[in-house]
Amino acid sequence: MKDTKPRLQSLIFEATQRCNHACLHCYNVWQPAGVSTYPRGELDTSRTLDLLAKALDETSCPHVTFTGGEPLLRKDLPVLLEFLQKRNTRTTIISNGRLLDESPLIELLDKGVSLFELPLLSHQREVHDALSGVPGAWDAVLAAMANIRLQRGQFVAAFVATRLNIADLYETIRLAFAFGARALMFNRFNPGGRGRENMEMLLPTAGQVRRALAIADAAAAEFGLPISCSIPIQPCLVDTRAYPHLGFGYCAAGSERAYYTLDPLGNLRPCNHSDLILGNLFERSFPEIIAPAHMQAFMDARPAFCDSCPKRDECQGGCKAAAQVCCGSLRAEDPFLHHNRGEYLAIPGI
Amino acid sequence: MSISRRDFIKLFGISIASLMMTRCRIGPPIATCYAPMPPTDLPPTPPASARERLRWCWQRFGELAQATRDQASQGEGSGEDTLGQQMVADHRAALDELVASGEITPTVANLVQEAYDAAVYHVWRSNAPITCYEPVIVDYAPASAGVLVQQAEILAEVAGQGEIDPKTLANAQAALEHDLAYYALSDADLQALYDQVLAEYQSNGQPIPSFDALQLEVSTDTSAAAQFIINLLTGK
């Protein structure tokens, strides 16, 4: 019998909605508190194990990324990781690093965590702490990076590019490299969650992003450090061909490379930036939830601005999840595109 | 150490695909080590016989790799493996004909298909670009000596600025020195380290078995499926 399970490269699991940081750029769909109507709460250990088992039983998925909130706030995290380890499922943890002291870190590595993704928002303490919304964040994340390397773990650093820190990019890459980061993610600020409220303060211009990418491209070559731009950047605003050392990607919703996101209550969404609940895994099967009937509207959505663009099917207008969260429609313009329309470039060759 | 029959046949398929991709084809001896093998001459249309069509499917990995790269560079679609899906369907259809004619059992056919599915996915994934939220491809190999020296220089400079907590710096430097120490080892040191790791592993009651002693949970059907693929590709 041919295996008809949906094949996924990875699944994102939002282990908890609780967090010990208050990042200005936070895109969690349940933020801001008191404004977002997204369902809140989390299941106990037993039900969470049931949820993960069902997700993995109903798909062919070799990798789970734990995120949050801050996943280390879950006391049962080692139990969940051990469960996945026994199923030969690789795990990544996205964390702010605050709780990654030596003892918990060793336990997490023992439970098979193969990669940590940690934010490094600046080489300057005050900038990183201001963006993280709490004092001590910078010291904590550097301590976590040093600990991980000392314990033979691996981490990548994530730089969220905002108006407040984009000028710090080169020195930040340098610091991440010195601490042993195996790669760096350059994520241009993508409004959503609490970040919506800070959009004017944080959203960089296309010109700022272009200059930052030139710096990142040179740094990638200088340090031999892989740098990827994980949030889509529209080629009509930034000619990505000018940065050969960087990796660029576009929305993969609906494909095997999609990052379906499971919240702590079992609600499944197209990705972690989207607040669109496709269904609950306790009520329907994974294949039913991601069937084309549910996903097609998300996959097909393009803003009218992109109608005549030959790159529209690749770029898809950027991040449609941000468009929906910020403007209420999947067919609205991604805020980065909307706010930078004045810098639209007709790129030769496209 | 054990490996399930399903994992075995998938790995087998991927291995075959990798060999095909590097043109490591079984054939007459070639004159030199590095002589490039000629491109596979694929027939323009699928062959008539089911067995030849099956063989044709296994020879299309280069085409799949190229199509995947072309798709990415031309911005067609968002990651759908159209050619790969077609290849999988063609392979299944040819297998079904062989099952219908009694040349192969349904169980073995399913295993052969499992191997092919894994091979197609492997080739496609190896050539598809990084995408949204793919946390880059992490190289788990030890950092080179050059990188470590560069890191040490920057770390020393950062330390001199006095901003970073001394304990954190000490940990970062200890980790770096540990990595650097590896490169200072002589061949004899490395062998001693290897022997030590081996002894520690074996002291945990997990002696490293020889290949022949590996407990492969490979059934007769799985062996038959693997042999079928080899025979198919070697023209037996």
Side-chain angles (χ1 to χ4, degrees):
Chain A
M1 179 66 72
K2 183 171 166 20
D3 189 355
T4 56
K5 293 176 183 177
R7 195 154 50 184
L8 305 176
Q9 286 184 11
S10 188
L11 175 70
I12 292 183
F13 177 53
E14 292 170 334
T16 179
Q17 294 169 337
R18 292 173 285 139
C19 193
N20 47 2
H21 280 191
C23 297
L24 300 181
H25 52 274
C26 176
Y27 59 80
N28 283 155
V29 295
W30 51 87
Q31 297 286 358
V35 175
S36 171
T37 57
Y38 192 84
R40 285 176 164 270
E42 65 189 60
L43 304 168
D44 63 19
T45 306
S46 170
R47 290 282 282 164
T48 302
L49 289 173
D50 290 344
L51 181 66
L52 290 171
K54 188 164 190 290
L56 295 177
D57 286 346
E58 294 177 351
T59 59
S60 175
C61 177
H63 180 241
V64 173
T65 295
F66 280 72
T67 184
E70 170 51 50
L72 271 83
L73 286 171
R74 269 195 87 127
K75 299 291 182 205
D76 59 358
L77 185 61
V79 178
L80 306 181
L81 290 168
E82 186 173 10
F83 170 76
L84 295 175
Q85 188 180 34
K86 285 179 178 167
R87 292 187 62 130
N88 292 322
T89 304
R90 287 182 297 115
T91 46
T92 292
I93 289 182
I94 299 176
S95 166
N96 57 38
R98 173 75 69 163
L99 301 173
L100 277 172
D101 297 329
E102 185 177 337
S103 172
L105 176 63
I106 290 172
E107 184 174 24
L108 297 181
L109 291 170
D110 281 347
K111 304 293 182 195
V113 176
S114 59
L115 185 67
F116 292 89
E117 184 188 312
L118 303 173
L120 190 59
L121 305 172
S122 174
H123 66 295
Q124 302 183 82
R125 178 184 287 111
E126 60 272 25
V127 176
H128 182 101
D129 287 0
L131 280 165
S132 302
V134 289
W138 188 75
D139 290 304
V141 79
L142 287 180
M145 288 175 174
N147 266 331
I148 289 170
R149 187 172 190 184
L150 196 58
Q151 301 302 329
R152 312 284 165 260
Q154 305 285 351
F155 71 92
V156 298
F159 179 88
V160 181
T162 72
R163 280 176 186 260
L164 301 184
N165 66 339
I166 200 162
D168 294 349
L169 179 61
Y170 177 75
E171 292 298 335
T172 309
I173 294 173
R174 212 164 166 262
L175 184 58
F177 171 75
F179 269 71
R182 302 310 295 252
L184 187 126
M185 300 169 73
F186 175 93
N187 299 341
R188 55 108 176 149
F189 168 58
N190 196 31
R194 188 185 296 116
R196 272 181 296 176
E197 297 186 323
N198 302 310
M199 187 149 48
E200 293 301 323
M201 177 171 54
L202 300 180
L203 194 66
T205 66
Q208 286 175 318
V209 169
R210 283 195 291 270
R211 287 189 289 278
L213 290 175
I215 288 167
D217 189 63
E222 180 183 355
F223 300 121
L225 189 69
I227 298 181
S228 73
C229 303
S230 297
I231 303 292
I233 294 174
Q234 294 85 346
C236 60
L237 297 178
V238 177
D239 186 350
T240 53
R241 294 171 299 184
Y243 316 103
H245 298 100
L246 307 181
F248 292 92
Y250 298 106
C251 179
S255 75
E256 286 183 9
R257 290 180 287 160
Y259 269 67
Y260 288 106
T261 298
L262 195 57
D263 80 7
L265 295 169
N267 296 309
L268 191 65
R269 311 198 306 274
C271 74
N272 50 349
H273 285 266
S274 170
D275 62 359
L276 177 67
I277 295 176
L278 299 167
N280 188 289
L281 209 53
F282 285 118
E283 295 166 6
R284 283 186 293 161
S285 74
F286 207 114
E288 285 174 326
I289 293 175
I290 66 167
H294 299 106
M295 276 299 297
Q296 206 64 47
F298 192 95
M299 292 160 63
D300 291 346
R302 310 274 188 275
F305 180 79
C306 303
D307 280 352
S308 61
C309 178
K311 297 278 272 187
R312 66 184 176 280
D313 287 336
E314 182 181 12
C315 161
Q316 303 171 63
C319 181
K320 53 193 89 177
Q324 184 175 45
V325 168
C326 294
C327 306
S329 168
L330 288 168
R331 294 183 179 277
E333 289 171 16
D334 170 340
F336 183 66
L337 173 64
H338 184 73
H339 285 265
N340 285 292
R341 286 178 87 174
E343 295 195 47
Y344 170 79
L345 299 168
I347 299 170
I350 69 163
Chain B
M1 184 177 180
S2 66
I3 182 170
S4 74
R5 67 174 193 152
R6 193 156 180 261
D7 285 341
F8 171 82
I9 201 67
K10 283 181 174 180
L11 291 171
F12 185 80
I14 291 169
S15 302
I16 292 288
S18 300
L19 291 172
M20 300 292 286
M21 290 290 290
T22 50
R23 304 198 191 291
C24 291
R25 291 183 296 164
I26 298 170
I30 52 175
T32 69
C33 250
Y34 294 103
M37 296 292 283
T40 310
D41 294 324
L42 285 174
T45 52
S49 83
R51 196 176 177 86
E52 281 305 305
R53 282 209 309 282
L54 215 50
R55 185 179 162 86
W56 181 66
C57 287
W58 282 90
Q59 292 175 321
R60 298 186 72 188
F61 293 122
E63 185 187 351
L64 175 62
Q66 188 60 50
T68 306
R69 290 193 293 268
D70 289 349
Q71 187 184 21
S73 64
Q74 292 164 13
E76 294 169 3
S78 58
E80 288 302 326
D81 178 20
T82 312
L83 176 59
Q85 289 170 6
Q86 184 60 50
M87 288 165 61
V88 165
D90 290 345
H91 189 268
R92 180 76 245 182
L95 268 180
D96 287 344
E97 284 185 42
L98 293 186
V99 171
S101 67
E103 192 174 333
I104 185 173
T105 68
T107 307
V108 170
N110 286 340
L111 288 165
V112 172
Q113 185 68 25
E114 189 106 50
Y116 190 70
D117 283 359
V120 166
Y121 179 71
H122 172 75
V123 172
W124 172 74
R125 183 66 192 93
S126 302
N127 290 275
I130 293 173
T131 185
C132 184
Y133 259 90
E134 182 80 32
V136 301
I137 306 300
V138 174
D139 180 3
Y140 289 101
S144 71
V147 163
L148 294 176
V149 168
Q150 201 179 2
Q151 287 176 341
E153 288 170 355
I154 298 173
L155 201 57
E157 182 193 318
V158 170
Q161 293 164 359
E163 280 292 310
I164 299 174
D165 175 67
K167 188 182 173 207
T168 296
L169 268 177
N171 281 345
Q173 284 166 334
L176 191 52
E177 282 163 16
H178 185 280
D179 289 354
L180 277 165
Y182 176 80
Y183 287 99
L185 296 176
S186 65
D187 287 349
D189 292 335
L190 278 177
Q191 186 59 46
L193 186 62
Y194 176 76
D195 291 342
Q196 183 187 337
V197 170
L198 198 65
E200 283 177 11
Y201 190 79
Q202 289 175 329
S203 69
N204 292 333
Q206 295 176 302
I208 296 176
S210 67
F211 181 78
D212 290 339
L214 279 177
Q215 293 176 340
L216 294 172
E217 295 171 13
V218 179
S219 64
T220 310
D221 287 335
T222 313
S223 296
Q227 191 62 54
F228 176 84
I229 294 169
I230 291 172
N231 291 346
L232 181 78
L233 297 176
T234 53
K236 288 183 182 173

